[in-house]
Structure formats: C-alpha cells, structure tokens
Amino acid sequence: MVLVTGGAGYIGSHTCISLIDAGYEIVVFDNFSNSSHEGIKRVEKIVGKKIALVEGDIRNRKDLQSVFDTYNIDSVVHFAGLKAVGESMQIPLQYYDNNVCGTVALCEVMQKNGCKKIVFSSSATVYGDPETVPIKEDFPLSATNPYGRNKLFIEKILRDVHRSDPTWKVIMLRYFNPAGAHISGTIGEDPDNIPNNLLPFIAQTAVGKREMLNIFGNDYDTPDGTGVRDYIHVVDLADGHVKALDKIDNFKEVMAINLGSGDGYSVFEIIHAFEKASGKQIPYNIVARRSGDIATCYADTAYAEDILGWSAKYNIDKMCEDVWRWQSKNPDGYN
Ligand code: NAD
Ligand code: UFG
C-alpha cells in the first residue's frame, strides 16, 4: 500500500486519482491544515470508491506509527508541507518545523517499520536564479527564502539517509509551476486567502472575486518584459508520480528529476490563454517586481523522459480550460 502524505491537498488529491487508476492501493495521511474533507469526498466520487484516510500530523510519530500498524505500507509519496514563499519569510521556524522536522519524523517512522521507498515533492525553487535555461538537474542548487531552503535541506537529508542505508529508494521530483485541475471540474486548487500564484489569481479575477490582476513587473529581460515560467498540468504531475513509483525499484542512487513541460510562457501569454478559455477579460495593472522573483524558469525535460518515460501531455490552453471549469463551477472552492 502507498502512504500519501498531504494527499488531501491540491497535487496530492490529483495524484490519489492517478495512483488508484493505475491500480495502487493508497492511504491518505493529512492534518487538513491547508485542505478539506470535501476534497477527499470528491476524489472518492471520481474514483468510485472509499479512500482510506488518517487524520494526523507528520511531526507526530505516534500518528504516523498508527498508520503503519493499521496498513501494510511499502512506499510513501510525500506531499505534506507548507508551501507559501512569502509566508515562509514571516514564520520561518514554523516552516522548518513543519516541513523539515516533519520529514525527519516521517523517515524515522518509515525506517523503524522497514519501509524505505519515498517519492518527495521538491521544487524548481532549489535552482535559485539559474544562469541559463532550460534548467538541467545537475545545475547548481541554492535558495533565496526559507521555503526554498526547506526543500534544499530535505533533499540533503534524504541523500544522507540513503548514504547511511543504500537500500533506501529515493526519488525527488522537482516540480516547475503546477497548474490546471481535474477534467471533471470537481477538484482543483483552492487557496485559503488571496492567491499567491498566477493562475488561481487570474481565475478568481475572471469569476469576479478579485478586481484585477497585478502583474509583478514588465521590465524583465524576457520577450514581453513579464516573468516566464514552465506551467505543468497537475494531472501530468500526478502521472509523473505514478511513473516514479512504477520505476523506483530500478534505481540504486537517489534520483532528482525535473517535472515540467519544457516550455516557458510569460504572464501576458497566460492572460491571453485564460481569456480565450474563459471568454472573460482579465483586467490588469503593471506594478513593481515581487521581491525574490526571477525572470525566466523552465525545465530541461530530457532526464524525466529518459528515466521515467514521462513527458507532459497537456498544454497551456488545456490548463486554462480546466482551471476555468473548476473555478466557474466552484467560485468558493470547496466551501
Ligand atoms: P497543498 O497545501 O494543497 O497540499 C499540502 C497538503 O499537506 C495539505 O493538504 C495540508 O493540509 C497537508 N499538510 C501540511 N502540513 C502537514 C503536516 N504537518 N502533517 C500532515 N499534513 C500536512 O499544496 P500542494 O500545492 O498540493 O503541494 C504539495 C507539495 O508539493 C508541497 O510539499 C509543496 O511544497 C510542493 N510543491 C508545490 C508547488 C506548487 O506550486 N503548488 C510547487 C513545487 C512544489
Ligand atoms: N505573477 C504576477 N502576478 C500575480 C502572481 C504571479 O505577475 O499575482 C507572476 C510572477 O511574477 C511570475 C509568474 O507570474 O513571473 C508566476 O508566479 P507564481 O507565483 O505563480 O509562481 P512562481 O514561479 O513565483 O513560484 C512557483 C511556486 C513556488 C516555487 C517556485 C519555484 O509557487 O512554490 O515556483 O519553483 F518555489
């Protein structure tokens, strides 16, 4: 059975569907700090069966042990974590505690129970401000904020765990910019407060919840001056996790693998794609650059293709259509 930590969240819930579709049995472990039971109910509707669910915190070894006592867990897909870059600068200790200490507790309990396979949610943020694009996995690593340092530390911790006991199997998937929603329009990204990320903000503007989009700078060294990113459909990401689990036994070394589309799109290109998908106009303002943002970030995807046999299927138009279906059917998210 596969333990999915953070399985009630945005990427986790989509991955649960793909894992079940691929024939994996799963149990979700989540403390619902950034998700809702409603999301899990909707996943159950999509897959047509009940999902084993344990409510608990990854920092709590007792909570985790109870999962291993109840279920026969042989691998873990580890999504659980706090993920807001700006917030991580305000409450760094909570980020280190939740994300880093939480991962240490998880690995300890795994080791104690003889479960040594983990697929971890890393991020393109570990590349800092890269000197060139597309970004390859062997580029230098750095971080500019506590969230990024969490990911870097966790990557290092997982490498140390593997060094101490090479029977561990570790895959670290470095996501670029997750976007999109399930085709049903019943699950998707549901930010609690004002969205930090571009697509949820655009979607809330289109549905009338936000007045206008602030574009953070149009003076970058990019074709139209706005930031360029590699948006990757969440269902493609989910499929990447299935491929990672399918292949994890083949790898002797710790694997760090980019999951991106390989294409970069500017903020203006995303606005236009969303306007086409939704038929709505997105009013915008150009404002100052957001501190910590970089000009351009997109993945070299050759390694993922070679190692996992994985590449993105869905393009930016499909991401916008699916986000719009989710947002327009659920203007208040899961509430
Ligand atoms: P999310 O917030 O929707 O999901 C995370 C889930 O983990 C939530 O359901 C939350 O309740 C749960 N959780 C948090 N702390 C927990 C704890 N201590 N114990 C148990 N459960 C806990 O976020 P997401 O977008 O689905 O991201 C999933 C993972 O992918 C995170 O590790 C994130 O850092 C990483 N990631 C996300 C992005 C992105 O832009 N969405 C990009 C790169 C990497
Ligand atoms: N942007 C705006 N206005 C907004 C939001 C975003 O103009 O309201 C712009 C940003 O300046 C950037 C682009 O849209 O150029 C994408 O911004 P996002 O916030 O959606 O994504 P980021 O690339 O900044 O961050 C994402 C994840 C982080 C992760 C980072 C690097 O959200 O968790 O990628 O992997 F750290």
Side-chain angles (χ1 to χ4, degrees), residues 61-86:
R61 290 165 175 81
K62 271 196 198 136
D63 285 358
L64 282 172
Q65 185 56 49
S66 76
V67 182
F68 282 87
D69 290 341
T70 314
Y71 302 95
N72 187 11
I73 308 290
D74 56 37
S75 52
V76 175
V77 183
H78 177 33
F79 294 103
L82 303 173
K83 62 161 183 178
V85 174

Side-chain angles (χ1 to χ4, degrees), residues 284-300:
Y284 64 82
N285 248 334
I286 308 284
V287 301
R289 290 181 181 194
R290 181 171 64 179
S291 118
D293 274 1
I294 59 176
T296 305
C297 174
Y298 57 88
D300 186 315

Side-chain angles (χ1 to χ4, degrees), residues 30-160:
D30 204 300
N31 67 358
F32 294 96
S33 58
N34 195 38
S35 50
S36 69
H37 287 84
E38 178 61 22
I40 290 285
K41 280 195 195 132
R42 295 190 186 186
V43 170
E44 288 177 336
K45 221 169 181 183
I46 292 169
V47 297
K49 64 178 194 191
K50 196 118 190 84
I51 288 180
L53 169 69
V54 177
E55 190 161 346
D57 194 298
I58 53 165
R59 289 165 293 182
N60 184 326
R61 290 165 175 81
K62 271 196 198 136
D63 285 358
L64 282 172
Q65 185 56 49
S66 76
V67 182
F68 282 87
D69 290 341
T70 314
Y71 302 95
N72 187 11
I73 308 290
D74 56 37
S75 52
V76 175
V77 183
H78 177 33
F79 294 103
L82 303 173
K83 62 161 183 178
V85 174
E87 188 184 61
S88 79
M89 297 194 267
Q90 277 141 22
I91 48 168
L93 294 175
Q94 287 179 45
Y95 270 67
Y96 288 115
D97 182 41
N98 195 81
N99 297 354
V100 180
C101 299
T103 302
V104 170
L106 173 66
C107 290
E108 254 180 51
V109 176
M110 287 174 68
Q111 183 135 44
K112 200 171 136 207
N113 291 275
C115 169
K116 299 183 190 173
K117 294 182 205 175
I118 186 166
V119 176
F120 169 62
S121 300
S122 191
S123 165
T125 193
V126 298
Y127 298 114
D129 192 353
E131 263 174 37
T132 56
V133 281
I135 298 171
K136 286 182 196 287
E137 285 82 353
D138 60 1
F139 274 26
L141 304 180
S142 69
T144 53
N145 56 65
Y147 171 75
R149 266 184 290 282
N150 280 188
K151 292 296 181 199
L152 269 185
F153 290 163
I154 295 169
E155 285 204 358
K156 285 184 199 298
I157 288 167
L158 292 174
R159 286 188 191 278
D160 284 339

Side-chain angles (χ1 to χ4, degrees), residues 268-289:
F268 279 125
E269 286 175 310
I270 298 296
I271 293 175
H272 294 146
F274 203 90
E275 286 181 338
K276 195 170 84 184
S278 64
K280 303 275 179 189
Q281 261 224 305
I282 310 297
Y284 64 82
N285 248 334
I286 308 284
V287 301
R289 290 181 181 194

